[in-house]
Amino acid sequence: MKRSILIHPDPRLKKVAKPVVDVSDALRSLADDMLETMYDAPGIGLAAPQVGVLERLIVLDCFKNEGETPRPLAMFNPEVIASSDEENTYEEGCLSIPDQYADVTRPADVTVRWMDRNGAEQEETFDGLWATCVQHEIDHLVGKLFIDYLRPLKRQMITRKMVKLKREMARTE
Ligand code: K1U
Ligand code: ZN
């Protein structure tokens, strides 16, 4: 089932999500819903707070080119356990901040530990777009958005645009 994606500004996007104690059927079903919502958007990642659920769960699949085999990943309690000194700048977007993009600099490689949908611990080092995306999604779990890396003026400008967009969306609902 497709879920609605919250649009910034929304207090739920600024909250800290709580750790998952046990990967229940309900949480597995939420992960499936989030993947469906992400592919439909379309996007390459999604965090549970973006669909209004304050649990430490993210999904991602950064194979976005035709011909590449999809790799849908659901990560419960993801944690960055190591980051490279080398950095990478990528023009980021966010499904909660539609049509706004900005350069963000982050560690180029990150090692992430998480629990998979069977409750088994996994660890992997990501690079390229996967590294950028997994860090962006983990930020959502502590209420941090990519615009929080921008200069205050640029952040305010984007926020004002989003307030206007939400007003228009409410009018046409
Ligand atoms: O968290 C989100 O809102 C998802 C976001 C993830 C992300 C994008 C770019 C850099 C870091 C993290 C998106 O998926 S925005 C949409 C997007 O980037 C995209 C959409 C279709 C094809 C390819 C990319
Ligand atoms: Zn986002």
Side-chain angles (χ1 to χ4, degrees):
M1 180 188 74
K2 229 176 72 180
R3 308 248 180 161
S4 314
I5 298 175
L6 299 178
I7 305 296
H8 166 73
D10 186 297
R12 288 166 287 182
L13 291 171
K14 299 306 299 168
K15 296 232 163 84
V16 177
K18 68 175 188 336
V20 168
V21 177
D22 161 55
V23 184
S24 59
D25 284 344
L27 282 173
R28 270 188 283 272
S29 169
L30 170 64
D32 291 339
D33 286 356
M34 285 169 58
L35 281 164
E36 184 182 340
T37 307
M38 177 193 84
Y39 285 124
D40 179 76
I44 54 172
L46 195 66
Q50 291 181 277
V51 294
V53 179
L54 290 172
E55 303 259 13
R56 283 191 68 86
L57 164 62
I58 64 171
V59 297
L60 64 160
D61 185 351
C62 299
F63 286 143
K64 56 179 182 169
N65 297 320
E66 241 175 81
E68 286 177 323
T69 313
R71 189 188 179 205
L73 279 178
M75 299 181 172
F76 298 87
N77 297 338
E79 252 186 290
V80 173
I81 57 167
S83 320
S84 62
D85 291 335
E86 191 198 334
E87 293 182 323
N88 196 9
T89 300
Y90 195 88
E91 190 178 52
E92 297 193 16
C94 182
L95 297 174
S96 295
I97 311 176
D99 302 323
Q100 303 300 316
Y101 302 90
D103 280 352
V104 177
T105 301
R106 301 179 187 269
D109 306 331
V110 286
T111 304
V112 180
R113 184 182 293 152
W114 73 94
M115 215 159 48
D116 69 15
R117 55 191 306 130
N118 302 313
E121 194 176 285
Q122 303 287 343
E123 203 176 292
E124 186 171 329
T125 300
F126 295 95
D127 61 9
L129 182 56
W130 286 85
T132 296
C133 186
V134 76
Q135 291 175 81
H136 175 118
E137 300 311 330
I138 290 174
D139 272 356
H140 273 299
L141 303 179
V142 290
K144 191 162 184 173
L145 302 173
F146 82 91
I147 56 170
D148 294 324
Y149 292 92
L150 309 180
R151 283 176 288 114
L153 203 64
K154 172 99 180 165
R155 185 164 64 238
Q156 276 163 25
M157 218 175 71
I158 293 177
T159 299
R160 281 198 201 109
K161 279 188 190 160
M162 291 301 107
V163 169
K164 211 169 140 208
L165 173 73
K166 284 178 81 171
R167 231 184 273 133
E168 278 159 18
M169 282 163 64
R171 257 209 311 267
T172 55
E173 250 170 21

